[in-house]
C-alpha cells in the first residue's frame, strides 16, 4: 500500500506538497485510525470532531484541503448539508462520506450533492485508502 | 244400525196395518150397530196412530242425528286427510331442507364425524380435499393422522375434556396434509348426546382459514418489522460507529506488530469478531428495512463466479469446493441481491458439511423460469425443523441471527421468484431458487 506515495502530490500551489486530507468524525478511534493509515502513506491529515470545527478548515486564508473524509451524521450537523457547504466554499475539494446507517435515498442525495463515494462503516482501512487514492488521482 | 232400522220399519208397518184393520173393524162394528165397541176400536186406532206418529218422529229424529253425525264424521275425515297431507308436505320440506343444509355444509365446510373414541366415521369431500387423504384412508383413523405437532399436548387434552363433558369446543388448529403442507382450520366440535346425556358421537365442522392466518401473520410481521426498522436505524448507528472505531484501531495496532507476533493473530481474530457483529447488525437492518431490487439484466454465470470467489476468499471455506454446471441464462434481477442470496445458500451448505466437501450448483431453465439448485452432502434438515427453516430468527447455529434464509427467500420473492428445499432420502439438502426469466417486479 505504501506505493501510493507517488500518487499523493496534489496540484496545489506547491505541486510537491502532499495532498491534504481532513477527517471529520465524532468517533475518536475512527479519526485516529484513519489519520494513522493515511499519514503512513504520506498524506497530510487533519482531524475534526464536529461540523463547526470542520468548517474552520475552509475559512479564508486557511491552507487548502484536497479531500474530506466526512461522517454523514455529526452531533452538530447533517453530513449532506456540510458536504454542500464544503463544496460551495471549496469547489475543487473532493468529499468521501462515511455512514453507519443510511437509506438509499440519503446515499442518492449525497451523490447528487457531489460526494465522490459513500463508504459503509465499519470499513477496511485499505479499502478507504483505495477510495481516497482514486478520488485524488 | 241397519238391524235396528229394519226393526223400526217392521214395527211401523205393523202399527199402520193394525190401524188400518182397526178402522175397517170400526166401520164394520158400526154397521153392525155396536157403537160402544166401535168407539173402543176408534180409541184404540187413534192411540195406535198416535203411537205410530211418535214412532215416526223418533225415527226421523234418529235419522237426522245419524245424518248429522255422518256429516260430522265426513268433515272430520276431510280435516284429518288435510292435516295428514300438510304433515307429509312439512316432513318432505324438512327432509329437503335437511338435505340442502347437508349439501351446503358439505360444499362449504370440512365435516367429519367420529365415534366417542375419536375414530373417524365420516369424512366429507372437503375434508379429503384439504387433508389430501382419501376417504378410505381417513375412515377408521384418529385425527392424529393430520396433527401438525404445532399445538401443545394440553391443547388437545383441553379439547377432549370439553367435548367429553358434552360441551361444544371451538378453536383454530394448524393441521398437516398428507403431502406435508400445513393448513389452518377454524374448528367447532359438537358432541351428540344419548338419553343419559353422554356423547356417543362427535361432529367436527371446520373452515379453511389458511389464507386469513397468512395475512394475519404478514400484518403482525410488518408491524414488528416497522418497529424493528425504527429501532434498527438508531441501534445501527450506535453500534456501527464504535465498531468502525474499534476495527480501525485494531488494524493499526496489528500493523505495528511483527508478522510472527502471536498478538497479531489475536488482533486479527478481534477484527473477525467485529466483522461478525457488523454482519449481524447488517442482517437485522436488511430484514427490518428491505430495499427494493434494482433490476438489471444479469448474466447468472457472473453472479455465480463472483459469489464462489467471495466464498473462496474466506479461510474457513478452504476445504469447500463448488462444482458449477448447467446453462447460463440472463435473468432480470438485482445482481448484488442475488449474490447475497447465493452466498447465503452456499455458506449454509458449507456449514452443513462441516466446511468440508463439494457443493453442487446447477443452473437450468424452463420456458419462463431459471432454476438455481444448491446441493450439499450434509446430514439434511431434521424433519422436525423443516417447517421452521424460513422463519425469521430461527437458527440451529451456535452463532447467528437466524435471518439469513428468511431474508434470502424474501429477496427471491421480491424478484417474483420462489425458494424451496428438498431433503433427498440419500441425504443432503437441495435448495432451489426459481426466478422468472421475464421481469415481474
Amino acid at each position: 500500500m505504501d506505493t501510493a506515495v507517488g500518487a499523493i502530490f496534489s496540484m496545489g500551489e506547491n505541486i510537491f506538497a502532499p495532498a491534504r486530507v481532513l477527517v471529520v468524525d465524532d468517533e475518536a478511534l475512527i479519526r485516529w485510525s484513519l489519520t494513522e493509515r493515511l499519514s503512513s502513506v504520506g498524506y497530510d491529515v487533519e482531524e475534526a470532531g464536529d461540523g463547526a470545527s470542520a468548517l474552520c478548515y475552509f475559512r479564508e486564508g486557511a491552507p487548502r484541503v484536497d479531500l474530506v473524509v466526512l461522517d454523514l451524521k455529526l452531533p452538530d450537523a447533517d453530513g449532506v448539508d456540510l458536504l454542500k457547504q464544503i463544496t460551495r466554499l471549496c469547489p475543487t475539494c473532493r468529499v468521501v462520506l462515511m455512514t453507519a446507517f443510511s437509506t438509499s435515498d440519503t446515499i442518492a442525495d449525497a451523490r447528487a450533492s457531489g460526494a465522490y463515494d459513500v463508504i459503509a462503516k465499519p470499513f477496511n482501512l485499505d479499502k478507504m485508502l483505495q477510495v481516497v487514492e482514486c478520488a485524488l488521482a | 244400525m241397519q238391524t235396528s232400522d229394519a226393526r223400526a220399519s217392521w214395527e211401523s208397518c205393523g202399527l199402520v196395518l193394525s190401524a188400518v184393520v182397526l178402522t175397517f173393524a170400526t166401520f164394520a162394528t158400526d154397521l153392525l150397530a155396536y157403537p160402544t165397541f166401535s168407539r173402543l176400536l176408534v180409541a184404540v186406532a187413534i192411540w195406535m196412530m198416535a203411537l205410530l206418529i211418535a214412532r215416526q218422529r223418533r225415527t226421523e229424529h234418529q235419522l237426522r242425528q245419524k245424518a248429522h253425525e255422518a256429516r260430522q264424521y265426513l268433515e272430520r275425515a276431510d280435516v284429518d286427510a288435510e292435516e295428514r297431507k300438510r304433515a307429509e308436505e312439512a316432513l318432505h320440506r324438512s327432509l329437503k331442507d335437511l338435505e340442502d343444509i347437508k349439501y351446503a355444509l358439505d360444499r362449504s365446510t370440512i365435516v367429519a364425524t367420529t365415534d366417542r373414541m375419536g375414530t373417524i366415521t365420516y369424512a366429507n369431500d372437503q375434508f379429503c380435499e384439504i387433508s389430501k387423504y382419501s376417504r378410505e384412508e381417513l375412515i377408521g383413523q384418529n385425527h392424529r393422522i393430520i396433527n401438525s405437532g404445532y399445538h401443545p399436548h394440553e391443547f388437545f387434552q383441553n379439547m377432549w375434556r370439553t367435548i367429553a363433558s358434552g360441551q361444544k369446543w371451538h378453536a383454530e388448529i394448524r393441521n398437516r396434509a398428507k403431502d406435508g403442507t400445513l393448513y389452518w382450520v377454524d374448528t367447532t366440535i359438537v358432541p351428540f348426546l344419548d338419553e343419559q346425556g353422554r356423547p356417543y358421537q362427535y361432529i367436527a365442522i371446520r373452515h379453511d382459514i389458511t389464507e386469513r392466518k397468512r395475512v394475519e401473520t404478514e400484518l403482525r410481521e410488518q408491524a414488528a418489522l416497522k418497529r424493528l426498522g425504527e429501532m434498527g436505524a438508531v441501534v445501527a448507528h450506535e453500534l456501527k460507529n464504535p465498531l468502525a472505531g474499534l476495527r480501525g484501531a485494531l488494524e493499526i495496532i496489528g500493523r505495528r506488530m511483527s508478522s510472527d507476533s502471536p498478538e497479531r493473530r489475536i488482533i486479527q481474530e478481534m477484527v473477525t469478531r467485529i466483522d461478525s457483529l457488523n454482519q449481524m447488525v447488517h442482517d437485522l437492518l436488511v430484514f427490518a428495512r428491505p430495499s427494493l431490487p434494482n433490476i438489471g439484466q444479469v448474466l447468472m454465470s457472473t453472479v455465480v463466479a463472483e459469489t464462489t470467489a467471495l466464498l473462496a476468499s474466506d479461510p474457513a471455506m478452504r476445504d469447500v469446493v463448488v462444482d458449477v454446471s448447467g446453462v447460463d441464462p440472463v435473468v432480470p434481477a438485482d445482481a448484488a441481491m442475488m449474490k447475497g442470496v447465493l452466498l447465503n445458500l452456499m455458506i449454509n451448505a458449507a456449514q452443513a458439511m462441516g466446511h468440508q466437501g463439494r457443493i453442487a450448483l446447477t443452473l437450468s431453465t424452463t420456458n419462463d423460469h431459471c432454476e438455481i439448485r444448491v446441493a450439499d452432502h450434509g446430514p439434511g434438515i431434521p424433519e422436525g425443523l423443516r417447517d421452521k427453516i424460513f422463519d425469521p430468527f430461527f437458527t440451529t447455529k451456535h452463532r447467528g441471527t437466524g435471518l439469513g434464509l428468511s431474508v434470502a427467500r424474501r429477496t427471491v420473492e421480491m424478484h417474483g421468484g420462489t425458494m424451496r428445499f428438498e431433503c433427498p432420502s440419500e441425504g443432503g439438502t437441495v435448495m432451489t431458487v426459481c426466478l422468472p426469466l421475464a421481469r415481474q417486479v
Side-chain angles (χ1 to χ4, degrees):
Chain A
M1 277 310 132
D2 296 352
T3 53
V5 173
I8 62 168
F9 295 101
S10 78
M11 294 184 296
E13 294 109 25
N14 178 2
I15 60 164
F16 297 109
R20 196 152 182 258
V21 177
L22 173 65
V23 176
V24 188
D25 200 305
D26 56 325
E27 174 61 54
L29 283 178
I30 294 176
R31 286 200 311 271
W32 178 75
S33 54
L34 272 175
T35 305
E36 288 295 312
R37 186 71 189 104
L38 296 175
S39 314
S40 71
V41 293
Y43 289 107
D44 177 9
V45 186
E46 299 289 345
E47 293 179 33
D50 52 48
S53 318
L55 284 174
C56 292
Y57 286 91
F58 296 92
R59 280 184 309 210
E60 282 230 13
R64 199 176 81 177
V65 174
D66 299 300
L67 184 137
V68 182
V69 183
L70 174 66
D71 186 17
L72 198 56
K73 195 177 175 194
L74 289 163
D76 63 340
D78 172 77
V80 178
D81 287 346
L82 200 58
L83 158 74
K84 287 175 185 165
Q85 287 188 59
I86 290 170
T87 47
R88 199 178 58 244
L89 291 168
C90 180
T92 56
C93 182
R94 294 288 173 96
V95 180
V96 173
L97 282 169
M98 301 177 281
T99 173
F101 176 72
S102 52
T103 61
S104 49
D105 287 349
T106 322
I107 292 171
D109 188 22
R111 286 187 194 280
S113 305
Y116 177 78
D117 207 344
V118 183
I119 307 292
K121 286 182 184 175
F123 45 79
N124 184 312
L125 288 176
D126 285 345
K127 188 188 168 193
M128 180 58 93
L129 183 60
Q130 237 173 6
V131 174
V132 168
E133 281 170 354
C134 289
L136 289 171
Chain B
M1 179 72 75
Q2 276 177 348
T3 321
S4 68
D5 283 352
R7 197 172 60 234
S9 298
W10 281 113
E11 280 173 11
S12 300
C13 286
L15 280 171
V16 169
L17 201 63
S18 305
V20 170
V21 170
L22 280 171
T23 307
F24 276 112
T26 305
F27 279 118
T29 49
D30 204 22
L31 284 172
L32 292 171
Y34 293 108
T36 310
F37 189 61
S38 172
R39 275 196 291 274
L40 183 65
L41 283 175
V42 167
V44 170
I46 288 168
W47 176 79
M48 285 181 76
M49 286 300 281
L51 203 65
L52 181 65
I53 289 164
R55 176 90 191 193
Q56 192 61 33
R57 284 201 179 154
R58 197 165 61 242
T59 308
E60 278 174 13
H61 175 72
Q62 279 173 349
L63 283 172
R64 267 201 305 276
Q65 203 166 355
K66 279 175 190 168
H68 178 70
E69 280 171 6
R71 260 199 316 277
Q72 275 187 332
Y73 174 76
L74 287 172
E75 278 170 12
R76 210 166 37 243
D78 278 352
V79 169
D80 285 352
E82 215 164 280
E83 271 176 8
R84 194 162 54 243
K85 196 177 163 197
R86 269 206 300 272
E88 276 170 10
E89 277 173 4
L91 183 66
H92 181 72
R93 246 196 334 270
S94 296
L95 286 172
K96 174 86 171 59
D97 285 351
L98 212 57
E99 207 172 291
D100 288 347
I101 289 167
K102 186 177 178 300
Y103 176 77
L105 207 62
D106 274 346
R107 296 282 293 181
S108 61
T109 60
I110 303 151
V111 183
T113 59
T114 73
D115 62 16
R116 52 186 291 272
M117 300 307 291
T119 306
I120 300 168
T121 50
Y122 169 77
N124 75 344
D125 290 346
Q126 299 263 340
F127 188 14
C128 297
E129 199 178 306
I130 199 164
S131 70
K132 298 190 172 69
Y133 283 102
S134 69
R135 193 167 282 110
E136 292 71 36
E137 285 173 311
L138 289 170
I139 297 203
Q141 290 291 323
N142 192 289
H143 271 91
R144 274 194 287 269
I145 194 171
I146 49 165
N147 189 341
S148 66
Y150 175 82
H151 304 280
H153 190 54
E154 296 75 40
F155 179 81
F156 291 109
Q157 268 183 337
N158 170 50
M159 176 201 84
W160 273 111
R161 236 194 332 269
T162 308
I163 60 174
S165 69
Q167 302 292 307
K168 182 188 84 175
W169 184 81
H170 176 255
E172 291 177 350
I173 308 180
R174 192 173 85 164
N175 285 335
R176 187 195 300 275
K178 189 182 179 182
D179 65 356
T181 51
L182 297 165
Y183 62 91
W184 277 92
V185 276
D186 178 282
T187 303
T188 303
I189 301 177
V190 183
F192 287 1
L193 308 177
D194 60 17
E195 291 78 13
Q196 281 81 43
R198 287 181 310 223
Y200 64 93
Q201 177 174 272
Y202 301 104
I203 183 162
I205 297 167
R206 304 183 181 98
H207 299 272
D208 184 1
I209 53 164
T210 313
E211 181 58 18
R212 197 197 83 201
K213 293 298 267 189
R214 190 189 64 74
V215 173
E216 277 177 7
T217 309
E218 212 170 274
L219 287 175
R220 259 202 315 275
E221 280 175 5
Q222 275 170 8
L225 278 181
K226 193 168 173 280
R227 280 198 299 276
L228 193 64
E230 287 159 1
M231 196 183 75
V234 178
V235 171
H237 189 262
E238 296 310 311
L239 272 176
K240 285 186 170 224
N241 257 326
L243 284 181
L246 285 170
R247 195 188 193 286
L250 286 168
E251 261 193 79
I252 298 294
I253 295 167
R255 278 173 180 278
R256 288 179 181 169
M257 292 175 174
S258 65
S259 54
D260 55 350
S261 157
E263 282 82 8
R264 188 167 176 165
R265 220 186 59 246
I266 299 295
I267 295 286
Q268 188 51 48
E269 196 59 34
M270 289 166 84
V271 170
T272 310
R273 292 278 191 282
I274 287 170
D275 287 345
S276 303
L277 269 174
N278 180 48
Q279 189 58 46
M280 283 175 71
V281 177
H282 174 80
D283 284 352
L284 269 169
L285 277 177
V286 170
F287 181 74
R289 299 169 81 113
S291 49
L292 287 173
N294 182 17
I295 302 286
Q297 291 302 313
V298 175
L299 190 64
M300 281 317 284
S301 62
T302 313
V303 172
V304 170
E306 285 176 4
T307 314
T308 46
L310 201 60
L311 192 78
S313 69
D314 185 346
M317 301 290 174
R318 60 180 166 266
D319 296 325
V320 177
V321 180
V322 183
D323 297 318
V324 182
S325 62
V327 296
D328 185 12
V330 173
V331 178
D334 182 314
M337 282 188 172
M338 276 304 124
K339 255 191 274 183
V341 170
L342 289 188
L343 188 65
N344 181 280
L345 296 185
M346 284 196 237
I347 289 172
N348 279 343
Q351 286 173 341
M353 300 191 299
H355 297 96
Q356 212 163 27
R358 305 184 87 87
I359 298 170
L361 194 149
T362 318
L363 289 162
S364 62
T365 51
T366 61
N367 282 344
D368 49 3
H369 279 83
C370 159
E371 273 199 357
I372 308 155
R373 285 162 58 89
V374 179
D376 66 55
H377 301 291
I381 303 161
E383 209 167 323
L385 305 181
R386 286 180 192 172
D387 59 338
K388 294 192 179 78
I389 67 157
F390 289 116
D391 289 354
F393 305 108
F394 173 77
T395 183
T396 55
K397 295 168 193 166
H398 177 53
R399 288 201 176 101
T401 52
L403 290 171
L405 267 183
S406 169
V407 168
R409 184 164 77 164
R410 199 178 52 197
T411 305
V412 171
E413 285 172 352
M414 282 199 293
H415 282 74
T418 56
M419 188 188 276
R420 61 176 194 275
F421 69 90
E422 295 153 62
C423 293
S425 51
E426 62 270 22
T429 305
V430 183
M431 298 292 306
T432 306
V433 173
C434 190
L435 292 169
L437 287 172
R439 185 171 177 168
Q440 290 191 351
V441 286

